[in-house]
Structures are given as C-alpha cells and as structure tokens.
Amino acid sequence: MTTLTLSRALNEGLRKALEANAKALIMGEDVGKLGGVFRVTDGLQKDFGEARVIDTPLAESGIIGTAIGLALRGYRPICEIQFDGFIFPAFDQIVSQLAKMRYRSRGAVKLPIVVRVPFGGGIGAVEHHSESPEALFAHTPGLRVISCGDPADAYTMIQQAASSDDPVLFFEPKRRYWDKAEVDTEGGLAAALPMDSARVLVEGSDLTLLCYGPMVRTCAEAAVAAASDGRSLEVIDLRSLAPLDVETIFASVRKTGRCVVVHEAVVTGGLGAEIAAQVTQECFYSLEAPVLRVGAYTTPYPPSRLEEHYLPDLDRILDAVDRSFGY
Amino acid sequence: MAVKDAGRAARPGERAPASRAPASRAPAREPERPERRADPAELIQLLTPEGERVEHPDYPLEISAAEVKALYRDLVIVRRIDFEAIALQRQGELGIWASLLGQEAAQVGSGRALGPRDMAFPTYREHGVAWCRGLDPVKLLELFRGVSHGGWDPTEHNFHLYTIVIGSQTLHATGYAMGIQRDGAVGDDGEAVIAYFGDGATSQGDVNEAFIWASVNNAPIVFFCQNNQWAISEPLERQTRTPLFQRANGFGFPGVRVDGNDVLACLAVTRKAMQAAREGQGPTLIEAFTYRMGAHTTTDDPTRYRLSAELESWKLKDPIERVKQYLIRTEQAEMTFFDEVEAEAAAVGSRVRAACLQMPDPPPTSMFDDVLTTQTTQLATERAGFAAYLDSFAAQEPVLAEEGR
Ligand SMILES: Cc1ncc(C[n+]2csc(CCOP(=O)(O)OP(=O)(O)O)c2C)c(N)n1
Ligand SMILES: [Mg+2]
C-alpha cells in the first residue's frame, strides 16, 4: 500500500498499462514533456518514448480519428482530452465512428480505445473547463462510460479500461486529482472489482444515495452528516454510467425504499433521469418517495464565482434527503 | 534562430529502460526544423530589433512622429495592464491570466490597422487588440476573475467575445465576413473582418474550414496568426512542417510573414491586407512571427518544457525597446515623453487594479439570466426554488449562510 493522489494513481495505472501491452499508446495535447496539464502522464514519455507517448497536434477530432486508425492497425490508444469542454471537436468521431464501428462490422472490428476526460467543476476555472458532459456519451450506444471517485479506483479502473476491447470514455473528477488515499499497487487486477460494477461505499438502511466521480466524496460526507440526524444512508458509487449496474442499484433501493441521485451535470436529461425512470419501473412497490435528483441547474456553467451555487454540495444533498423523508 | 531542446528529436536508443516492452520505431523526424527559423528574405520588417527603420518595397509606410509615439504609448500601456493582471492573479484576485508579454507589437500593430467599422474576433490573449478597440481592460479582468464569461456587447467596439475553444472564432469571423458581402459593404469604403488565432490553432479542423470558406467565398477577412512558437508545451514543429504563412497558398489566397515584434511592420502589413479585403480582393493570412515570453497562463510552468536560452534570445527582439530606440535615435521624442507614458501606464494599471479589487461577485440568481430570450417555465421554477433555498439559510441560520459563501 502506498499513499497516492488520484492523479498519481492514474499515472501509476497508465504506467502499468503501457508495461502490460506493447501496443498501448498514450496520445493527447501536452501529454509528453509537460506530462499533461494535470501531470497525469508525468514522466511517461521519458520512460516509454515519443513513439508511445505522443504529443499530438492541437486537434481533438484528429486525436480520436487517428486513434481509431491506430486501433484498426492493432494499437491500443489511450487518448487524453485536455478538458471536458474540448471534447466536442471530437464528438463526431466518438459518436459516429468510435461507438459504431464494431456494430457496423458485425463484430469484426474492435476499437480498444480509452478516452480520458478530466471533468467537472469546483476549481475556479474559466468557461469550458468545468463541464460534465458524461450523459451525452452514456446516451450513445456502443461506448462504455466509467468514472472513478478515489485514488484506488483510479489506479485499477484506468488499467481495466486500457485492457477493454470496447471503447471506454473515462471521466476523471478533476477537482479530486489532489485527493490522497491508500492504493495497493502490488496486487494485480484479478481481485479488483470489474469496472462495470457499482460499489456500495457506505452501507445503510434508510435511503440510497447514488453518485459517481467528484460527488462520491461529497456523498460519503453527507452520509456521516445524516447519521448524526439518526438517518442511515447507503452510498453507492456507480463507477459505470454505461452500462449501469442496475442490480446493485435495485437491490439497495428495495432495501431502503428511498433514492436520491447526485451528479454535477445538469439535472435535465442527465444520468439521474435515466436512473429515476429505471428505479421507478423496477422498484415501484418498494418506494416510499419519488426518486429525487440533485445536480446542476438548466443553465450553462456559470462564471466561477457562482459555481458554488451551481454545483451540488453537502447542504443541497441533505436538503434532498430531507425532502425524500418528507413524503 | 533560437536554440531548441535537442531532446525533442527522436532518439530511439535512449527511450525505454530494458525492463519495459520495447518501444516501437519512432516516426522519422528530420534534425532540421526550418519552420522555426524565419527566413529574413520572407520576414517583413520595417523596424529592426536595434530600432533602425528599414524599407520594404511592398510596404511603404508614411508615419509621423506623433503616430509612432501613439503606438509606443499603446505598447507600454498594454504591457502594464498585463503586468498588473499577473500580479492580481498571484494575489488571488484573478483565477487565471493569459499573458500577452512579447506579443504587444503584433496586437497593437494589427489592432491599430483596423477601422471603427471593421470587426475583430479574438482568442483569449488579445488584450492588446482589446485596448486598441477601446474595450475597458476591466472587462477582461471580469472574465479572468470568474465574475463573467466576458459579458461585453461585441457590437459596442466591434470586438467579439473572447473565445477559449481553440479555433472556433475563425469560422464565426468568416461567416461575419460573408454577411458583409451580402450587405454590399465590400468595395470603396468597405468593411472587413480580422480573425486572431495562434500557431497551435492552425491544426484545428475549424481553422482549416474557415480558410476554405473564406477562400471560396472570397470573403473580406484577414486571418491573423500570432505564431508565438508554442501551444502550451508543444513547440511549433508538433503542428507544422511548413512555414505557416505558406499554408495560405494551398487554400487559394496570399500569405505573408511579418516580424511580429515589429509594430510598424504589423501595422503596415495588416493595413494592406485589410484594405484588400475591404475592396473585395478576398482573404489574406498574416503570420506574425513572435514569441510567448511568459508562461502559457499563470498556471503553467514553462521550465518543464523549454530552455531559458530561447527566451533570452527573444528578449533581444523586444517589441517595445526597439520603438524606444528608434524614437531616441531619430530624436522624435524627448526623454520627458517616455516618463509621461510610464506615468500614464502606471495610472491605467492602478485604475485597473482598484476596479478589480472592488469588483463585486454577481448576484447568485443572475446565473439563470440570458439562457434563452424568454424565461422558460422550467428555468423560472428552478430559479424560484434556488432563491427560496438561499433564503432558508438567511432566515434560519445566518452563520451557515455566511459559511456557504
Ligand atoms: C479545442 C480546445 N482544445 C484544447 C484547449 C486547451 N488549450 C488552451 S490554449 C492551448 C494552446 C493554444 O496554442 P496556440 O493556438 O498557439 O495559442 P497561444 O496560447 O500560444 O496563444 C490549448 C491546447 C482549448 N482551449 N480548446
Ligand atoms: Mg502559440
């Protein structure tokens, strides 16, 4: 066990991925000498060379488009999109090509490509640097969409993503890059929870709190705060947004009878809406209250001086918990 | 030519430690990097780094002492604003700042070549152009402080909002120029557009599409590329193997390379290109060959990727010093003039600083404004819910509400 920041855990995981498979590549803007703007790829170009850790031209469509070509030639690119808001020049390549090529070829083509995306707000950034576009990709059949919430998951999930033969959109909670925790870098991946499974982070009996990425820590804190009010919250880190681990979700809601979904993304049309629909359909007779959602308002990301109002926080989560118990 | 880190060239032997999977063969790369050297024959210069006025047959420039002094004043003031903003960021008053240090001449020269009816489309670094267009620098600080996303009306100074997504604005500029054509505003007394972007941006699809659209429409637009040699940590050779200005040929319009640290040359070259565009002769690509003297932004650490020798060599080509030397050498300005400009710049700096320190945060409910022309029922409901939620803190627990800030 070593104590690592989330960004360092990703770095170690990427290093393992490059060691594990000679076909694995890293490509993106500033990922080489600089080691990425968040230093996630720090030192990897030095150790694995410019042919495997590639500083690409400044063109996101090009990053994903050429990654597809490299994958067709047997390589396994791990791409970095520098910030959430800059994935859109690559949207066409991701949605129309990356997500569909396996289907179009009736399984003949596989595209083992990881697209790493630092996402979410809370760092006081200028526009386009704080967005949460994950639902757009979860809405796109043919992609796996996952997100890590802590350093240990960051370390294993990035390796699992790299060894997946499906395209994986890997959302990294950028405001948690500096969070530290114990990570087991000795044990292999065999014992690790699969990347498409949710994890019950805190067991509880009164209400199910669903979250992922940056909200995992906040929800764990909410469970502690609620406990002092005598409420037992079960916190589930979804980890996989597409596909959703619905078995874990349903089992918990059947037990607790209440469900609140938390994400930084805009509530309207977000992951919470999908989860609420599925939970309502499958757990209808267990529910004591409607599924509630906590997330961003239906506005573009505001100037950073307002982001604390825009983003869900402990108070807004506890407020939703209160409302759920009010039914 | 600037000394570049030799480590960038592929050195297959030095790459992977033996324990690791063997690195596959690196793509071949030539040791020579001609695109980083500005061939003097191709570089339009009217004022040498030593402050000597030189002539160029294609760009005769009649300029009075008063005009040169006005340019000098602009250069000094925009550098001062930049300096002040960097300091404010260091003190926690701004979230981030993208410095224009080293690029003052490219921005002031091109900015002063525009007429009031011309339209400019900037990136996020065009503080010098903003100054020339008459935008209050405090507006720029609002954006970098996180109080607004810009928030100015682009029609007020014919200066569009800053665009952070690399390259997007070149298409907007092209479309705007197509609008000028449709308004019949090309010809004698015509209007034109200038689109700013960086060397890194030239890799974006949007920028290449803008070149095509402008070309096939013969749109009245000037593409002004500030080649500052770097796109964050990536040197120019990660974006191009050919001098950028030469790209224009392939798209079907002229391209020129100007000394981007020479305010007179930037003025003359942009004037000519804008005039050609206004008269209906179509687009021009101007590559202003310059250097980003500072970090990419205040969060960047350039020591990780570039050598200080490069910086030192560019210091000798400082865009402001050469104008000063020229004014002194030709006795067009007294020493008191320089003192006056210094004092004026300091006053602008103090005013900007004070305005920044007094800048209030926007009211929280303002985040619901201007999403659409009319408030939707959904947004109205969200806004009311949010306001009630905020009030619940104020009413019940004033202390909590304070902490919530
Ligand atoms: C589409 C997009 N991708 C990535 C970024 C992140 N980014 C911001 S500035 C920059 C480099 C830009 O280089 P250049 O065009 O040369 O302009 P400069 O910053 O040197 O003025 C990058 C990659 C962005 N803003 N937009
Ligand atoms: Mg640049």
Side-chain angles (χ1 to χ4, degrees):
Chain A
M1 288 281 188
T2 29
T3 306
L4 297 177
T5 59
L6 194 147
S7 86
R8 192 73 212 170
L10 286 167
N11 181 273
E12 294 294 335
L14 287 168
R15 180 175 289 276
K16 286 266 156 63
L18 289 172
E19 282 168 354
N21 196 323
K23 295 288 189 182
L25 308 173
I26 287 179
M27 49 199 290
E29 294 154 12
D30 306 289
V31 298
K33 214 165 196 179
L34 184 64
V37 294
F38 293 107
R39 309 292 183 263
V40 171
T41 55
D42 191 23
L44 296 178
Q45 187 182 66
K46 193 166 140 279
D47 292 343
F48 294 91
E50 292 183 22
R52 293 191 65 195
V53 180
I54 307 163
D55 269 331
T56 67
L58 207 179
E60 288 76 10
S61 181
I63 293 171
I64 305 301
T66 57
I68 291 172
L70 281 157
L72 292 172
R73 181 71 189 185
Y75 286 86
R76 307 182 67 92
I78 304 169
C79 305
E80 175 177 303
I81 298 294
Q82 200 162 80
F83 282 91
D84 35 60
F86 308 137
I87 198 167
F88 299 107
F91 201 56
D92 170 58
Q93 287 290 347
I94 294 172
V95 172
S96 301
Q97 304 300 331
L98 185 61
K100 297 186 172 75
M101 225 171 260
R102 178 184 178 85
Y103 193 74
R104 284 161 59 206
S105 69
R106 291 188 176 269
V109 169
K110 66 171 187 194
L111 294 179
I113 294 173
V114 180
V115 183
R116 295 183 35 243
V117 191
F119 85 122
I123 63 161
V126 290
E127 39 169 4
H128 315 296
H129 291 73
S130 305
E131 300 182 1
S132 298
E134 62 274 15
L136 299 171
F137 301 97
H139 186 69
T140 303
L143 301 173
R144 291 180 182 274
V145 183
I146 64 177
S147 183
C148 55
D150 62 35
D153 269 353
Y155 174 73
T156 53
M157 288 171 77
I158 191 65
Q159 293 179 69
Q160 291 165 329
S163 62
S164 166
D165 280 345
D166 287 323
V168 180
L169 271 280
F170 189 89
F171 284 93
E172 302 172 0
K174 75 167 84 76
R175 68 157 124 167
R176 306 292 183 217
Y177 273 141
W178 303 276
D179 280 12
K180 282 187 182 159
E182 292 279 286
V183 179
D184 177 9
T185 52
E186 302 303 318
L189 288 184
L193 186 65
M195 69 179 192
D196 52 6
S197 295
R199 183 201 301 284
V200 179
L201 201 69
V202 180
E203 281 192 41
S205 53
D206 298 338
L207 182 145
T208 300
L209 202 51
L210 301 174
C211 55
Y212 55 89
M215 284 293 111
V216 171
R217 193 177 104 186
T218 316
C219 285
E221 289 164 4
V224 173
S228 63
D229 291 342
R231 283 173 181 158
S232 164
L233 307 193
E234 177 145 298
V235 180
I236 295 180
D237 177 355
L238 293 170
R239 297 167 87 251
S240 178
L241 311 181
L244 281 167
D245 176 3
V246 288
E247 288 80 11
T248 303
I249 298 171
F250 296 159
S252 176
V253 177
R254 286 190 186 115
K255 179 175 74 173
T256 64
R258 290 189 162 81
C259 180
V260 173
V261 193
V262 183
H263 50 59
E264 281 194 15
V266 170
V267 162
T268 307
L271 255 300
E274 175 59 28
I275 293 169
Q278 293 205 37
V279 167
T280 305
Q281 192 172 312
E282 296 301 321
C283 310
F284 190 69
Y285 294 105
S286 309
L287 285 172
E288 308 278 346
V291 180
L292 299 180
R293 295 169 291 163
V294 185
Y297 301 106
T298 314
T299 77
Y301 203 90
S304 62
R305 292 259 164 176
L306 294 181
E307 70 182 342
E308 64 186 313
H309 292 292
Y310 182 74
L311 295 170
D313 60 5
L314 195 60
D315 288 330
R316 288 228 326 250
I317 294 168
L318 292 174
D319 179 65
V321 169
D322 280 348
R323 281 188 283 126
S324 179
F325 278 96
Y327 281 90
Chain B
M1 130 128 195
V3 183
K4 267 294 297 140
D5 184 1
R8 256 177 205 288
R11 286 172 300 170
E14 292 178 26
R15 211 167 287 117
S19 62
R20 298 221 164 76
S24 30
R25 218 152 59 83
R29 225 175 279 159
E30 287 159 25
E32 275 292 295
R33 291 184 294 263
E35 68 283 356
R36 287 183 69 83
R37 208 189 307 119
D39 181 346
E42 293 171 335
L43 188 76
I44 296 155
Q45 193 177 66
L46 299 180
L47 193 61
T48 68
E50 292 73 35
E52 198 180 321
R53 182 77 169 80
V54 288
E55 294 297 330
H56 191 287
D58 298 336
Y59 298 94
L61 182 70
E62 293 276 330
I63 190 160
S64 69
E67 286 171 298
V68 179
K69 284 158 90 174
L71 292 171
Y72 178 81
R73 173 182 169 271
D74 287 335
L75 294 169
V76 172
I77 290 176
V78 300
R79 180 169 288 185
R80 182 55 188 239
I81 293 167
D82 192 70
F83 180 81
E84 206 66 55
I86 293 171
L88 284 163
Q89 195 281 335
R90 298 241 190 285
Q91 292 151 13
E93 296 295 336
L94 300 181
I96 194 171
W97 180 255
S99 169
L100 63 31
L101 190 68
Q103 299 176 221
E104 295 89 348
Q107 297 194 12
V108 168
S110 62
R112 287 299 177 202
L114 311 179
R117 286 158 58 231
D118 295 325
M119 184 71 189
F121 285 81
T123 70
Y124 42 82
R125 208 187 287 285
E126 263 67 78
H127 322 314
V129 184
W131 170 258
C132 295
R133 298 308 280 166
L135 187 86
D136 185 347
V138 174
K139 283 283 177 200
L140 305 177
L141 266 60
E142 275 182 21
L143 188 158
F144 289 98
R145 188 176 165 89
V147 163
S148 78
H149 288 322
W152 60 84
D153 176 354
T155 61
E156 203 174 320
H157 300 282
N158 274 8
F159 184 71
H160 188 68
L161 293 168
Y162 271 10
T163 299
I164 289 174
V165 181
I166 300 295
S168 300
Q169 75 283 0
T170 56
L171 279 169
H172 311 156
T174 303
Y176 192 97
M178 290 164 62
I180 289 176
Q181 290 178 301
R182 277 151 189 75
D183 288 347
V186 181
D188 294 343
D189 196 30
E191 298 169 30
V193 180
I194 188 165
Y196 289 89
F197 54 102
D199 45 295
T202 61
S203 293
Q204 280 289 7
D206 276 9
V207 174
N208 289 275
E209 290 180 28
F211 289 168
I212 290 165
W213 283 70
S215 174
V216 300
N217 288 291
N218 202 41
I221 183 168
V222 172
F223 292 106
F224 195 91
C225 177
Q226 286 168 85
N227 173 3
N228 64 8
Q229 315 299 329
W230 293 91
I232 310 186
S233 75
E234 297 199 15
L236 188 63
E237 58 265 27
R238 299 309 301 148
Q239 318 290 346
T240 188
R241 296 295 295 271
T242 190
L244 291 175
F245 74 99
Q246 288 180 7
R247 292 238 184 115
N249 291 335
F251 289 96
F253 52 87
V256 287
R257 177 180 270 178
V258 60
D259 179 347
N261 287 17
D262 173 353
V263 71
L264 299 186
C266 288
L267 177 74
V269 169
T270 311
R271 257 189 198 161
K272 186 168 173 178
M274 288 295 284
Q275 192 51 31
R278 288 187 204 106
E279 287 169 359
Q281 294 171 44
T284 303
L285 170 62
I286 300 174
E287 176 191 1
F289 203 79
T290 180
Y291 192 73
R292 195 194 79 207
M293 295 296 286
H296 169 69
T297 65
T298 43
T299 57
D300 176 40
D301 174 13
T303 62
R304 289 181 70 101
Y305 54 81
R306 70 183 191 187
L307 295 176
S308 57
E310 183 178 274
L311 187 67
E312 292 307 317
S313 78
W314 276 93
K315 271 189 189 152
L316 303 174
K317 303 178 197 163
D318 186 76
I320 301 185
E321 193 52 31
R322 69 176 75 181
V323 183
K324 187 173 186 179
Q325 289 312 318
Y326 170 67
L327 286 170
I328 293 173
R329 175 195 301 249
T330 55
E331 295 179 358
Q332 295 188 64
E334 310 270 318
M335 279 331 259
T336 51
F337 164 73
F338 299 108
D339 295 341
E340 279 161 25
V341 170
E342 244 2 276
E344 189 187 354
V348 173
S350 313
R351 182 181 75 76
V352 165
R353 156 171 291 270
C356 178
L357 297 180
Q358 285 161 20
M359 206 178 276
D361 282 355
T365 49
S366 70
M367 70 183 165
F368 295 95
D369 295 342
D370 299 312
V371 179
L372 294 167
T373 47
T374 52
Q375 187 80 322
T376 61
T377 310
Q378 180 180 13
L379 269 172
T381 308
E382 287 184 18
R383 185 196 187 113
F386 170 71
Y389 174 74
L390 273 190
D391 286 348
S392 72
F393 287 100
Q396 292 163 18
E397 295 192 59
V399 185
L400 239 188
E402 269 298 299
E403 280 171 359
R405 294 280 323 129

